[in-house]
Amino acid sequence: MIALETLKSRLVNNQIEIQNEEGYVDTLYFLFSEPAMEVEIKRLKQMIPNDIIHFLKTHNGADLFVHPTYGGGIRLFSVDEMIEYREIWECPEQFIPV
């Protein structure tokens, strides 16, 4: 969470300029979902690390480093997506898709 909070402190209007490996500068976007409610988090039946619980209580999912034209980026799952992808991916009991 420290890394995420530090990153968020650098954003201006949920965006940041990043220089990629070829030297081009792009403005990438970030979308943070509203916090999950306690009842939603309890739907995750297995033991959840405190960092994931803290993230979900702050943002129930997020899209990070999204290019305005090409999309992409990193998706951090919401509670619903964690449950959905555990079933789709047939995850072991202790596995938590994030």
Side-chain angles (χ1 to χ4, degrees):
M1 282 304 296
I2 293 171
L4 183 60
E5 293 303 321
T6 301
L7 173 64
K8 285 174 52 180
S9 73
R10 297 182 56 216
L11 300 178
V12 176
N13 296 325
N14 283 336
Q15 53 187 335
I16 193 171
E17 285 190 345
I18 300 287
Q19 182 175 0
N20 67 27
E21 62 273 3
E22 288 130 13
Y24 297 106
V25 175
D26 284 315
T27 300
L28 303 180
Y29 295 86
F30 296 75
L31 175 64
F32 298 97
S33 300
E34 293 295 317
M37 293 188 287
E38 194 68 37
V39 68
E40 292 177 284
I41 295 170
K42 287 183 181 181
R43 291 178 45 221
L44 298 168
K45 294 182 173 76
Q46 69 273 32
M47 293 293 292
I48 305 295
N50 288 336
D51 286 342
I52 294 176
I53 291 171
H54 182 70
F55 169 75
L56 292 170
K57 286 181 176 181
T58 307
H59 304 293
N60 189 14
D63 292 304
L64 313 175
F65 300 100
V66 178
H67 191 278
T69 303
Y70 306 115
I74 299 169
R75 174 80 185 145
L76 299 177
F77 288 159
S78 67
V79 170
D80 287 340
E81 290 166 322
M82 288 179 184
I83 293 168
E84 176 184 354
Y85 281 95
R86 280 196 81 232
E87 293 174 16
I88 291 172
W89 293 340
E90 299 176 2
C91 298
E93 178 90 19
Q94 70 279 10
F95 183 81
I96 304 165
V98 291

